[in-house]
């Protein structure tokens, strides 16, 4: 099988083999419990990984560069795969120093064991946002590596991402030319507060369905706080947050801006224009209406051709297969979503 | 001026004249401070009321049945107006007994001063949800009045509205044939928690833009917890929550249901079908994309013809004028949204 176009996958979850390997990367005296990677009390009833994402010997294909190459990069002929890891919960851990140490362990593991193995792997470094000054130091340490193409943060947060608290991190990311990605998985755990504005939902299905709301809140905050005026070269990537909510958000924010712009005097354009110029959304989990035409209409509303990036979310249960996704579109739009938008955003050759 | 169809306005904010009048309706020893009605720390920079919603003598047209009739019911030739009040914050007040007393004051004022004045007024009673048993008693006291057509609750909440905690309230509402409406305004105040899943946003514009997220969380919770299987005649009305986010929510929930239905064994239909059969959305604040065709496509995606109800939100600043709204649609769809859907839902003659 071949896709009609080359492919860059913008969300591949490489992993530690086990907690022992994670611990070996932890610095100095940090020998505490390692965050378990994800949803906390909102456990998936069908597990997190696909059943076919393991070798015959039972090894996770996400925890071994060779297996990941064999399971994903080669069969789908991926031009590049953006490794996003699974360290989402460090930014909602109560201990800032421990979180920074876990972030460093994640980054060193990425640099030492993953990026050298396959030149098609590109890395998303992470930081703990609890101490922005430590985060900047970590960005300065890791970002210069040529295979680091992005900074990934949890979408779970104590404060929406537009707040000034985070601006030193954006200054560093912009200075190093790194897009900032946010990724769901730890909403409702650690110090992040309830996973919805209405409080705690009851189970994984409700939690998963509601994850997009965190992305909406961050996007409203980023635009309205003027982050993209203050950091004009900064790009944001909304990974695994869904897509079809964006028309609503842009229209509502633009409409409100017409009446309430006195509260955001630093904005010089309509809010939706900042989104179109600074933000990208990855495809998985793409919405699947019964009427395929409806998704194409949504794509038209959001200028999908220029702001979507393909992602598989390998090895998670809701993995989107590049051969199956986006059947309803073709031509230049498909090529841009599957390949060219990511190639340009991440400056890949 | 005339609208092309008769009109029922499903969100008119009648009000107390002042805190003194409110206090006079408070029962017994409750003489504490009266909730201020709304956004708390998220104050609108342009005020809450329209400047033209006052008489020459400076009286609020929302606080006097005669003025409201002159300012809204007559000029727009409203067939009916559903009074929704402004008591949204009682359900996020920490004191359950005080909140129940405020709810009773609101209901008595509605029954004594508003509904007898103009037969075109129909009333939304309210309850404090902090003590569901007290709430049921209040429903039993007020709902039998023939001009009470709805129960309105705050969309701000400590717990999403699907939780079993609320089920006695739904049992009573269903028994009395009252649709349950939820209305924004007190998100982020009282005991409601942060107004977004990502925490506290900075100002009114961000807060207002994010209000839809509470509606999404409640809707996911209501459907997934099986509320509409347990109470098959119950209807929910999402007032002032926006509209264009609904396709995303239905598609994402349906897609997740296909994989995760083991967590909701009580559901017998696709999640989106419960929404189509049990839920209504009011129009204001309707999204206004630059390309009017996009809104019509959204209407097609959500079966707007059967689930939307016109609302003006009088006297708030973002009031939608029945003469100006929905220019792009006409014929039966327009008549149903402006009039017939509400007439049937509220059993109006």
């Amino acid at each position: 099988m071949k896709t009609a176009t080359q492919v860059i996958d913008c969300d591949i979850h490489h992993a530690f083999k086990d907690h022992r390997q994670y611990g070996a990367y932890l610095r100095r005296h940090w020998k505490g419990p390692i965050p378990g990677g994800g949803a906390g009390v909102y456990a998936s009833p069908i597990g997190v990984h696909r059943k076919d994402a393991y070798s015959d010997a039972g090894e996770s294909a996400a925890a071994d560069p060779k297996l990941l190459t064999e399971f994903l990069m080669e069969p789908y002929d991926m031009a590049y795969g953006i490794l996003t890891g699974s360290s989402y919960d460090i930014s909602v851990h109560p201990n800032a120093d421990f979180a920074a140490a876990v972030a460093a362990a994640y980054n060193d593991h990425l640099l030492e064991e993953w990026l050298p193995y396959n030149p098609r792997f590109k890395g998303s470094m992470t930081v703990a946002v609890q101490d922005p000054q430590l985060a900047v130091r970590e960005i300065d340490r890791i970002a210069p590596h040529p295979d680091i193409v992005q900074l990934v943060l949890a979408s779970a947060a104590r404060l929406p991402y537009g707040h000034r608290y985070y601006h030193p991190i954006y200054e560093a990311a912009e200075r190093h030319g790194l897009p900032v990605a946010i990724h769901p998985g730890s909403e409702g755990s650690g110090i992040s507060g309830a996973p919805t504005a209405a409080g705690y939902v009851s189970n994984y299905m409700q939690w998963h369905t509601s994850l997009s709301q965190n992305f909406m809140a961050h996007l409203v905050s980023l635009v309205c706080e003027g982050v993209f005026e203050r950091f004009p070269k900064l790009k944001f990537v909304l990974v695994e947050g869904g897509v079809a909510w964006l028309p609503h958000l842009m229209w509502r924010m633009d409409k409100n801006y017409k009446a309430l712009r006195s509260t955001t005097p630093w904005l010089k354009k309509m809010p939706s224009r900042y989104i179109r110029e600074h933000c990208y959304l990855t495809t998985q989990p793409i919405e699947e209406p019964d009427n395929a035409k409806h998704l194409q209409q949504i794509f038209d509303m959001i200028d999908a051709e220029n702001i979507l990036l393909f992602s598989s979310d390998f090895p998670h249960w809701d993995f989107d297969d590049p051969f199956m996704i986006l059947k309803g579109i073709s031509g230049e739009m498909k090529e841009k979503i599957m390949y060219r938008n990511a190639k340009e955003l991440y400056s890949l050759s």
Side-chain angles (χ1 to χ4, degrees), chain A residues 224-343:
Chain A
C224 293
E225 294 289 316
V227 167
F228 300 118
E229 280 294 335
R230 190 174 281 205
F231 306 106
K233 288 183 284 185
L234 188 67
K235 307 290 186 191
F236 248 81
V237 186
L238 311 185
V239 181
E240 201 175 334
V243 167
W245 49 265
L246 188 57
H248 161 74
L249 189 88
M250 293 196 297
W251 300 339
R252 184 163 178 138
M253 190 154 44
D254 282 354
K255 184 175 177 178
N256 277 346
Y257 180 66
K258 290 171 189 170
L260 306 169
R261 65 176 69 192
S262 66
T263 51
T264 55
W266 38 76
L267 295 191
K268 295 173 182 155
K269 308 170 197 170
M270 292 298 281
S272 63
R273 230 182 110 195
Y274 291 101
I275 296 174
R276 289 176 195 273
E277 294 178 0
H278 292 271
C279 298
Y280 296 81
L281 288 77
T282 66
T283 53
Q284 188 280 336
I286 197 75
E287 292 89 352
E288 295 176 4
D290 291 339
N291 183 341
K293 181 189 70 181
H294 286 160
L295 189 62
Q296 292 178 45
Q297 291 170 342
I298 296 282
F299 276 25
D300 180 45
M301 296 171 194
I302 65 171
D303 189 26
E305 179 167 340
N306 291 307
I307 70 167
L308 287 195
L309 308 174
F310 167 72
S311 63
S312 74
D313 196 37
F314 186 88
H316 293 164
W317 65 269
D318 48 352
F319 168 79
D320 275 345
D321 185 318
F323 297 143
M324 306 290 288
I325 194 181
L326 301 179
K327 290 281 189 199
I329 64 166
S330 59
E332 189 174 5
M333 181 189 273
K334 186 141 184 183
E335 199 207 341
K336 290 178 82 171
I337 295 173
M338 297 300 290
Y339 175 69
R340 269 170 47 200
N341 289 345
K343 182 168 180 286

Side-chain angles (χ1 to χ4, degrees), chain A residues 38-78:
Chain A
V41 294
Y42 295 111
S44 168
I46 56 172
V48 172
H49 285 203
R50 294 175 64 79
K51 294 185 172 41
D52 61 7
Y54 292 88
S55 70
D56 291 341
E59 299 160 299
S60 165
D64 184 291
K66 180 164 172 291
L67 286 177
L68 185 58
T69 298
E70 285 169 20
F71 273 65
L72 184 71
M73 301 302 290
E74 287 173 352
Y76 292 104
D77 194 26
M78 300 274 183

